[in-house]
Amino acid sequence: MDFDVLVIGAGPGGYHAAIRAAQLGLKVACAEMGAVGGVCLNIGCIPTKALLHAGETIANTRHAADFGLSYGPATLDIAKMNGWKDGIVKKLTGGVAGLFKANKVTHLVGQASFIDANTVKIGDKTYTASSFIIATGSEPATLKGLDVDQVAIVDSTGALNVPDPVPARMLCVGGGVIGFEFAHIYNNLGSKVKVIEFLPNIIPGADADAVKEFGKIMKKQGIEIVTRMKANSAQKQADGVHVELENVETGEKTTEVFDRVLVAVGRRPRTAGLNLEAAGLKATERGFIEVNTRMQTGVPHIYAVGDVAGNPMLAHKAMKEGLVAAEVIAGKPSEQDAVAIPGVVYTSPELAWVGLTEQEAIDKGYKVKTGLFPMSASGRAMTLQSTEGFVKMVVEEGTDLLLGVHIVAAHASDLLGEAGLALEMAATASDVALTIHAHPTLGEAVLEAAESVHKQAIHIVNR
Amino acid sequence: RPVIHAAPSVRRLARELGVDIAQVRGSGPAGRVSEDDVRAFQKGGS
């Protein structure tokens, strides 16, 4: 055998798997047909967060007037912003390549295709391995009638290249995490943004109260949100993209004109070209490769991790699964047994959650108590000019066990670390409330939400 | 899969010892399972 482990894909799942396998003494190769770092580093998490930061900084220049700081008219060099973002991506992908080298992971360039269950073809060479980890990720789902040209009609990849001038009228088709992050970016850069969502609610999977609060704030920032609406077709004409919109409930159709249309209606797993059948594998109807909690497919020495192995399609889930697969191959008793996988929308304020929503907890048969602490009562939030949102805690009545934490607040994504640890440690709301949190910090809102479960929050009137 | 009220390191210990943590009765608050609970269960041999 050429390798102990051959990882297919160098995204978050793949590079975590490759590095951990190498750390555990295995001879590892990682095949990648595109750029190392995968979607997350190249055309996903990292570049979007860079643009979100740029947009937030522009918005902050306006808020600074509240404490007497005024600027001349802000000017944005869009080419420079795009270049700065690309520089961060380059630095991080270079970092992954460096980690491969340092860990003696062989980087194979090209599309891997199975010849049999122990052999893949990459380019005109074949390689054998005792184990494989499939980490081929996902790609944007397409929408019939909306043909992506990456200029006027874009998917998330095209949306990363902000045009100059910024589109005056922007439509985001899909009110999920990706749709709202781009809506937020373009809104802050000066576009008039409309988000349409097919379902009755935006950000599916998040807590209803948190989504309601989040939607209210996004609307206040100027983003138009319409639910139960779909886009049937988009035609490029001289004055812009003509989009036929349809109200899902009434069937009423209207045509609106936009300068840029983002299609963000989800992602689909990617297995094309892998020749799974040769390895004895078959994707499910939806395109996923089924795995057990040890990340093993139906063919025990072939593993699958990340987006291709099922929902939720999140980088940190892929990273964890990559580690599990590598450890299992190395003979460790590892398992994907996470209690909760956090979710984050990196707008300002952020929407972030971990664990069960109130409704999910009720549906699972829990008797639920909730606690809520508004950021408007947080001293630290006031000093940061960010008093919108709240921390909501979902707790099991009787045992006081923490079931879920839902946050709409500045830096909610960072506050989530504590909540995630609490859930994994099977903490009670009392455990959180009894932990001294530094003052003044946004994290105190987590403590106070826990206190509020017991109607003992200090900085609000408990009802 | 039932929710296991045990820290990640306790869950890992159970796997290392070949103990099905779902069978272990936790002695901690809210039925939390400790390392000692896992070891005692293994010694009990049941």
Side-chain angles (χ1 to χ4, degrees), chain A residues 293 333-335 337-339 366 399 401 424-426 428 431, chain B residues 1 3-9 11-12 15-16 29-30 32:
Chain A
T293 55
S334 197
E335 191 182 1
D337 68 342
V339 171
Y366 285 104
T399 64
L401 266 166
E424 292 294 342
M425 297 297 290
T428 60
D431 291 327
Chain B
R1 195 168 85 234
V3 178
I4 307 298
H5 301 311
S9 56
R11 284 177 259 153
R12 183 176 64 187
R15 285 196 299 271
E16 283 167 357
R32 262 181 272 174

Side-chain angles (χ1 to χ4, degrees), chain A residues 57-404:
Chain A
T57 305
I58 293 166
N60 285 344
T61 61
R62 294 180 214 125
H63 305 319
D66 293 349
F67 56 86
L69 177 61
S70 52
Y71 298 83
T75 55
L76 177 65
D77 183 334
I78 289 170
K80 194 161 181 182
M81 177 184 67
N82 282 329
W84 165 77
K85 168 203 69 187
D86 295 342
I88 295 169
V89 168
K90 207 170 156 196
K91 189 166 180 187
L92 286 172
T93 55
V96 172
L99 289 170
F100 274 1
K101 219 171 243 166
N103 284 286
K104 299 192 170 56
V105 172
T106 304
H107 177 198
L108 305 170
V109 181
Q111 155 94 54
S113 181
F114 280 102
I115 290 175
D116 60 48
N118 282 101
T119 317
V120 292
K121 190 167 193 272
I122 298 170
D124 49 11
K125 289 202 174 119
T126 58
Y127 300 91
T128 55
S130 315
S131 299
F132 291 89
I133 301 173
I134 301 171
T136 45
S138 63
E139 60 202 354
T142 51
L143 203 54
K144 224 181 120 215
L146 279 77
D147 296 322
V148 168
D149 66 1
Q150 301 297 30
V151 181
I153 305 172
V154 296
D155 60 20
S156 55
T157 306
L160 287 170
N161 279 315
V162 178
D164 192 1
V166 170
R169 302 158 297 182
M170 169 103 176
L171 174 70
C172 295
V173 181
V177 176
I178 294 172
F180 266 97
E181 289 191 349
F182 279 110
H184 196 259
I185 289 167
Y186 280 86
N187 182 56
N188 275 340
L189 296 182
S191 302
K192 172 148 184 42
V193 181
K194 180 183 187 123
V195 178
I196 61 165
E197 167 58 48
F198 183 87
L199 297 171
N201 284 302
I202 56 171
I203 321 288
D207 182 83
D209 288 337
V211 165
K212 201 171 153 198
E213 177 79 1
F214 174 78
K216 217 164 67 187
I217 297 167
M218 290 301 113
K219 280 182 184 169
K220 208 175 128 198
Q221 291 182 8
I223 297 172
E224 187 187 354
I225 303 170
V226 187
T227 55
R228 301 304 275 141
M229 179 152 285
K230 63 175 182 173
N232 289 331
S233 63
Q235 258 109 37
K236 276 195 285 182
Q237 294 187 20
D239 62 339
V241 185
H242 290 235
V243 184
E244 186 188 272
L245 302 173
E246 181 180 337
N247 182 313
V248 180
E249 267 150 25
T250 64
E252 190 197 334
K253 290 172 188 165
T254 51
T255 297
E256 289 185 38
V257 185
F258 300 92
D259 301 293
R260 188 169 243 205
V261 177
L262 165 68
V263 181
V265 291
R267 298 182 64 83
R268 60 180 180 210
R270 183 163 54 192
T271 54
L274 262 182
N275 199 21
L276 286 177
E277 295 73 19
L281 282 171
K282 217 177 103 190
T284 65
E285 208 168 296
R286 296 187 58 201
F288 292 111
I289 300 174
E290 280 182 311
V291 290
N292 61 20
T293 55
R294 290 154 61 86
M295 310 319 298
Q296 282 168 311
T297 66
V299 180
H301 72 281
I302 302 180
Y303 298 69
V305 302
D307 288 4
V308 78
N311 286 311
M313 294 193 192
L314 296 168
H316 41 273
K317 174 220 171 229
M319 292 171 171
K320 169 71 177 182
E321 292 181 348
L323 300 181
V324 170
E327 287 164 5
V328 170
I329 291 169
K332 304 257 175 217
S334 197
E335 191 182 1
Q336 165 62 300
D337 68 342
V339 171
I341 300 169
V344 179
V345 191
Y346 289 86
T347 45
S348 334
E350 294 174 341
L351 166 60
W353 70 94
V354 62
L356 302 177
T357 66
E358 186 174 354
Q359 192 57 49
E360 283 170 346
I362 292 166
D363 292 346
K364 278 183 185 281
Y366 285 104
K367 205 156 171 237
V368 165
K369 267 170 84 172
T370 61
L372 194 108
F373 188 78
M375 300 313 291
S376 58
S378 157
R380 183 65 179 128
M382 284 179 216
T383 66
L384 292 168
Q385 298 179 289
S386 194
T387 52
E388 290 169 312
F390 56 64
V391 176
K392 174 178 169 178
M393 208 167 262
V394 181
V395 169
E396 184 183 21
E397 181 149 17
T399 64
D400 199 37
L401 266 166
L402 208 53
L403 298 174

